[in-house]
């Protein structure tokens, strides 16, 4: 069965919602207008239950099938937040908020899940319960984690969860997925080197933190090249190097480094954290200084479970004719927290030939709407077939 006919009919309406969301982007947990709009639509569609304020500004809607002999409950999740980027698309429906932009297509995800909810509430052609989940703060705020921490999975008895992200560079409406580890764990570090500042013409009287920190930046590269098994993935990037001196003739007392670590397994994550601390302490000691390392764990590795991934791929093939094997992605995804709590799968849907996500000229492709909505609806109708 290809794209559902009903979504071809609904595409214009869903596109209007999507463009309205695009014009009104909201960042992190500040998705107040978006959440209110989502809740209002879910009420209008006739959801049995609509609850706001889960994970601060998250929204949950419940849709019951014609019957519930299966006792199954499936969660479908979309993200609602935008990015702190100044939009440069020149679109007629470009962001009206300076410095905020839907540059990751979460406007499209929200609109597509609303479209699927409208269809599912209209038809109810399944045996069980659907929980539609709209989360804030995917872009670094951990809104998905906060919804889980609020007891969402237990409160609605969710048994499996499914998520989707648009992907520029893949043909519009095509799909790609992979089982197992898919998106990376994303951690951050802050390192402060402390030495003894002084006159730049008298280095012998100082402990030069600039030289110390430079050695550390180079030494950190050996985590990937010398400590990790070459067949595993790890990225250690130092992205900020700031000395406490603004003068050309002062050796700084302190240097502050910042950066990120991306890994695909718990073992590699532990190894990277351990080695960063060890290397910085060792390098500082070598030069007579001190290093303080703060390591902050962010999103965990996002892992698709085997059975649900195979099923999600079958549904994608039914909707669009094929489903590619997706490569590993070293970016992070907050849906990882939901997949830590329940089995499920996360899929990529093609966004065509657009600028990549997080670029000021990125735009969600509305032509992907029928395929995305159909995938959601088919997940429900095939996983919980009408009795
Ligand atoms: Zn993003
Ligand atoms: Zn995104």
């Amino acid at each position: 069965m290809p794209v559902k006919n009903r979504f071809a009919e609904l595409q214009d309406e869903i596109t209007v919602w999507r463009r309205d969301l695009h014009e009104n982007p909201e960042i992190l947990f500040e998705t107040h207008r978006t959440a209110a709009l989502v809740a209002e639509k879910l009420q209008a569609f006739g959801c049995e239950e609509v609850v706001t304020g889960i994970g601060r500004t998250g929204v949950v809607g419940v849709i019951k099938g014609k019957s519930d002999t299966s006792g199954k409950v499936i969660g479908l999740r979309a993200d609602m937040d935008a990015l702190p980027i100044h939009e440069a698309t020149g679109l007629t429906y470009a962001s009206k908020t300076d410095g905020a932009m839907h540059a990751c297509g979460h406007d499209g995800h929200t609109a597509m899940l609303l479209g699927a909810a409208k269809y599912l509430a209209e038809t109810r052609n399944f045996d069980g319960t659907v929980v539609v989940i709209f989360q804030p703060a995917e872009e670094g705020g951990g809104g998905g984690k906060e919804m889980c921490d609020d007891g969402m999975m237990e409160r609605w008895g969710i048994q499996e969860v499914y998520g989707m992200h648009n992907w520029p560079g893949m043909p519009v409406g095509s799909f790609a997925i992979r089982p197992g580890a898919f998106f990376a764990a994303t951690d951050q570090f802050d390192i402060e080197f402390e030495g003894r500042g002084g006159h730049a013409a008298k280095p012998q009287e100082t402990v030069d933190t600039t030289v110390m920190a430079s050695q550390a930046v180079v030494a950190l590269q050996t985590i990937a090249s010398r400590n990790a098994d070459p067949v595993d993935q790890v990225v250690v990037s130092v992205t900020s190097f700031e000395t406490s001196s603004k003068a050309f003739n002062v050796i700084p007392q302190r240097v502050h480094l910042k950066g990120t670590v991306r890994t695909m397994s718990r073992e590699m994550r532990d190894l990277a954290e351990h080695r960063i601390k060890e290397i910085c302490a060792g390098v500082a000691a070598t030069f007579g200084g001190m290093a303080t390392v703060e390591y902050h764990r962010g999103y965990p590795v996002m892992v698709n479970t085997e059975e649900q991934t195979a099923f999600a791929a079958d549904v994608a093939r039914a909707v669009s004719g094929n489903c590619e094997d997706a490569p590993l992605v070293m970016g992070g995804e907050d849906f990882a927290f939901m997949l830590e709590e329940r089995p499920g799968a996360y899929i990529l849907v093609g966004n065509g030939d657009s600028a990549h996500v997080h670029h000021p000229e990125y735009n969600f492709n509305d032509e992907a709407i029928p395929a995305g909505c159909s995938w959601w609806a088919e997940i429900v109708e095939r996983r919980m077939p009408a009795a």
Side-chain angles (χ1 to χ4, degrees):
M1 184 193 292
V3 163
K4 285 185 178 294
N5 289 335
R6 182 69 181 122
F7 290 118
E9 291 168 20
L10 288 174
Q11 185 178 354
D12 287 350
E13 186 182 355
I14 297 169
T15 299
V16 170
W17 304 342
R18 205 284 289 181
R19 294 183 178 188
D20 172 71
L21 293 169
H22 192 87
E23 267 189 341
N24 297 282
E26 295 172 303
I27 291 169
L28 290 169
F29 288 98
E30 298 304 312
T31 53
H32 302 289
R33 179 188 182 275
T34 310
L37 191 141
V38 165
E40 182 195 302
K41 293 219 181 294
L42 294 177
Q43 295 279 10
F45 301 157
C47 287
E48 271 75 5
E49 204 184 335
V50 179
V51 181
T52 57
I54 305 296
R56 295 197 237 175
T57 40
V59 184
V60 170
V62 177
I63 306 165
K64 290 193 177 298
K66 278 180 183 150
S67 55
D68 186 19
T69 53
S70 76
K72 282 189 184 161
V73 184
I74 287 181
L76 309 177
R77 169 275 198 181
D79 37 18
M80 301 188 287
D81 59 317
L83 283 157
I85 290 177
H86 185 78
E87 182 160 351
T89 60
L91 292 164
T92 53
Y93 55 90
S95 170
K96 291 193 290 194
T97 308
D98 198 30
M101 174 189 178
H102 268 296
C104 204
H106 299 183
D107 49 345
H109 305 162
T110 297
M112 289 193 294
L113 187 54
L114 280 174
K118 178 171 171 131
Y119 165 86
L120 290 166
E122 252 171 34
T123 52
R124 306 199 180 245
N125 194 25
F126 56 95
D127 178 47
T129 304
V130 177
V131 178
V132 285
I133 302 164
F134 295 86
Q135 76 150 86
E138 192 288 318
E139 300 286 1
K145 180 179 192 305
E146 295 227 7
M147 291 186 89
C148 291
D149 289 348
D150 272 358
M152 175 180 72
M153 297 296 179
E154 299 77 21
R155 178 166 169 184
W156 283 284
I158 297 166
Q159 296 160 0
E160 292 183 357
V161 283
Y162 294 87
M164 183 195 297
H165 207 292
N166 77 93
W167 212 251
M170 273 167 51
V172 181
S174 68
F175 291 93
I177 198 167
R178 68 180 291 130
F182 191 177
F183 279 54
T186 56
D187 300 338
Q188 295 176 32
F189 55 81
D190 276 275
I191 304 165
E192 182 138 294
F193 287 96
E194 175 105 31
R196 186 166 61 246
H199 200 294
K202 291 185 172 177
Q204 74 279 17
E205 292 175 3
T206 72
V207 173
D208 190 345
T209 46
T210 310
V211 172
M212 198 186 303
S214 300
Q215 300 282 347
V217 171
V218 175
L220 289 172
Q221 306 313 309
T222 63
I223 297 172
S225 67
R226 302 292 90 177
N227 299 140
D229 185 325
V231 300
D232 291 334
Q233 297 81 21
V234 58
V235 178
V236 179
S237 292
V238 175
T239 56
S240 172
F241 187 117
E242 209 171 54
T243 79
S244 60
S245 166
K246 297 281 173 273
F248 73 93
N249 56 358
V250 176
I251 287 174
Q253 175 80 13
R254 281 179 301 278
V255 170
H256 186 191
L257 304 182
K258 278 189 210 178
T260 186
V261 174
R262 307 295 168 104
T263 50
M264 283 291 176
S265 71
R266 183 173 307 202
E267 294 73 27
M268 189 59 73
R269 195 180 202 187
D270 291 344
L271 174 82
E273 176 174 358
H274 174 69
R275 283 299 290 150
I276 287 173
K277 289 178 175 166
E278 219 166 47
I279 287 170
C280 291
V283 169
T286 299
F287 294 96
M290 289 270 293
T292 313
V293 179
E294 277 177 37
Y295 192 93
H296 315 278
R297 293 199 171 206
Y299 297 169
V301 182
M302 189 187 75
V303 181
N304 274 346
T305 49
E306 296 280 343
E307 183 197 336
Q308 286 72 20
T309 304
F311 165 67
D314 280 346
V315 170
R317 275 187 283 272
V319 169
S320 86
N322 81 323
C323 183
E324 300 281 324
D325 295 331
L328 289 170
V329 177
M330 295 314 283
E333 174 45 79
D334 189 22
F335 189 57
F337 288 108
M338 296 193 193
L339 284 176
E340 280 198 330
E341 297 217 351
R342 295 293 184 270
Y346 185 83
I347 200 163
L348 306 180
V349 61
N351 198 53
D353 206 10
S354 76
H356 217 283
V357 292
H358 295 208
H359 189 279
E361 286 171 14
Y362 165 85
N363 191 25
F364 179 80
N365 193 326
D366 293 311
E367 295 307 313
I369 288 172
C373 291
S374 296
W375 185 78
W376 288 127
E378 290 283 342
I379 287 277
V380 171
E381 292 180 356
R382 286 170 182 243
R383 200 67 169 162
M384 305 187 288

